[in-house]
């Protein structure tokens, strides 16, 4: 039982660290605004943004928890390759959202949401709206960062992947189900009545500091769901 929970917890923590790194990338990319923030404000953006980071990490780990549960009874889900493929796809989508967000914030002054998807119905207008952007530069940064991030995740998966199979499968399955149910807490952002929203991570009178605390992936997915 212990190796499986160690795997899930460390995998979850790896995603939280990834989101911290992406917040650092955001702050460096917009250094002209970041330099006006105090050190305490910058640290606070990480602290207050943690709720959103935990929320997205919980969404990501939910299917992985299901895979681990199924691995108790189906040999197919005991293969490391399944978790590598899932991580590759998840990281690709999250990284794309995060890197598009960098320049979208530069142009529009808000974190990425579902708004850019409106341009998909008008390809010419979409191309015209992005033709002036440093696409080549962003593409190089994306490829390098994505390669490094995936290499790190691949290394972590190999190091922490569970090998030992439990004899008491029923008890382990029950505990895993409880664990999966408990993910609703970080997903909702805590035990409060209202679910997590943007204002839940706002902490400063400086709008940029508040925007830095927002998790780009959470903001995009929340907008996508709320706007249909």
């Amino acid at each position: 039982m212990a190796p499986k929970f160690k795997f899930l917890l460390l995998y979850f923590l790896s995603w939280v660290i990834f989101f911290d790194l992406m917040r650092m990338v955001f702050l460096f990319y917009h250094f002209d605004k970041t330099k006006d923030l105090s050190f305490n404000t910058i640290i606070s953006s990480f602290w207050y943004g943690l709720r959103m980071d935990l929320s997205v990490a919980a969404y990501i780990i939910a299917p992985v928890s299901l895979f681990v549960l199924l691995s108790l009874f189906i040999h197919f889900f005991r293969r490391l390759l399944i978790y590598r493929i899932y991580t590759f796809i998840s990281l690709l989508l999250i990284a794309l959202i995060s890197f598009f967000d960098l320049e979208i914030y530069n142009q529009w002054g808000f974190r990425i949401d579902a708004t850019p998807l409106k341009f998909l119905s008008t390809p010419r207008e979409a191309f015209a709206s992005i033709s002036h952007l440093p696409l080549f530069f962003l593409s190089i940064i994306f490829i390098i960062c994505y390669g490094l991030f995936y290499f790190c995740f691949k290394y972590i998966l190999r190091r922490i992947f569970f090998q030992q199979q439990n004899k008491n499968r029923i008890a382990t399955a029950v505990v895993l189900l409880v664990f999966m149910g408990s993910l609703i807490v970080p997903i909702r952002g805590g035990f409060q009545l209202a679910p997590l929203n943007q204002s839940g991570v706002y902490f400063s009178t400086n709008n940029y500091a508040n925007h830095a605390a927002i998790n780009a992936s959470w903001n995009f997915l929340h907008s996508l769901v709320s706007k249909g």
Side-chain angles (χ1 to χ4, degrees):
M1 185 182 300
K4 290 181 173 59
F5 281 99
K6 178 183 177 182
F7 166 72
L8 289 173
L9 291 175
L10 291 178
Y11 187 76
F12 179 82
L13 180 61
S14 298
W15 276 105
V16 175
I17 293 173
F18 167 77
F19 292 130
D20 279 337
L21 291 173
M22 290 311 304
R23 185 169 288 109
M24 289 176 63
V25 171
F26 179 85
L27 290 167
F28 276 112
Y29 194 85
H30 303 98
F31 185 74
D32 57 322
K33 296 181 177 67
T34 304
K35 66 182 180 181
D36 296 328
L37 302 179
S38 67
F39 178 76
N40 287 338
T41 301
I42 293 174
I43 296 300
S44 295
S45 71
F46 285 84
W47 173 251
Y48 284 91
L50 181 61
R51 293 175 66 195
M52 279 190 179
D53 298 342
L54 294 173
S55 179
V56 182
Y59 274 114
I60 294 172
I61 201 176
V64 177
S65 302
L66 179 61
F67 297 161
V68 174
L69 175 62
L70 293 175
S71 74
L72 295 171
F73 310 99
I74 304 173
H75 186 270
F76 176 78
F77 290 98
R78 299 172 194 168
R79 300 178 180 178
L80 179 58
L81 180 62
I82 304 299
Y83 302 86
R84 282 182 176 175
I85 293 174
Y86 176 82
T87 302
F88 177 86
I89 296 173
S90 300
L91 184 61
L92 180 61
L93 295 175
I94 296 295
L96 281 172
I97 293 171
S98 300
F99 278 88
F100 272 119
D101 170 70
L102 294 176
E103 195 56 37
I104 283 176
Y105 190 81
N106 254 353
Q107 301 299 320
W108 295 345
F110 59 83
R111 304 303 297 267
I112 187 171
D113 59 12
T115 302
L117 298 181
K118 296 177 181 179
F119 289 99
L120 295 180
S121 59
T122 55
R124 289 185 180 179
E125 291 182 15
F127 180 77
S129 67
I130 65 172
S131 58
H132 67 288
L133 300 180
L135 297 179
F136 179 77
F137 175 68
L138 286 173
S139 298
I140 295 298
I141 293 179
F142 173 79
I143 292 171
I144 293 174
C145 290
Y146 179 78
L148 290 173
F149 285 137
Y150 180 68
F151 174 80
C152 292
F153 268 101
K154 186 177 178 181
Y155 175 79
I156 292 169
L157 279 171
R158 187 172 67 250
R159 297 280 298 188
I160 68 176
F161 191 67
F162 57 91
Q163 299 293 337
Q164 180 183 351
Q165 296 305 314
N166 296 96
K167 296 180 180 179
N168 195 341
R169 296 180 180 181
I170 302 301
T172 303
V174 171
V175 177
L176 283 170
L177 285 171
V178 173
F179 174 79
M180 291 170 66
S182 68
L183 291 176
I184 193 64
V185 177
I187 284 175
R188 295 186 75 258
F191 294 96
Q192 73 283 352
L193 186 61
L196 181 63
N197 54 49
Q198 278 190 348
S199 62
V201 300
Y202 285 4
F203 67 96
S204 174
T205 55
N206 185 310
N207 279 335
Y208 173 69
N210 292 326
H211 293 162
I214 294 174
N215 182 297
S217 302
W218 183 96
N219 201 56
F220 178 78
L221 295 173
H222 180 264
S223 175
L224 199 64
V225 173
S226 61
K227 294 182 179 179

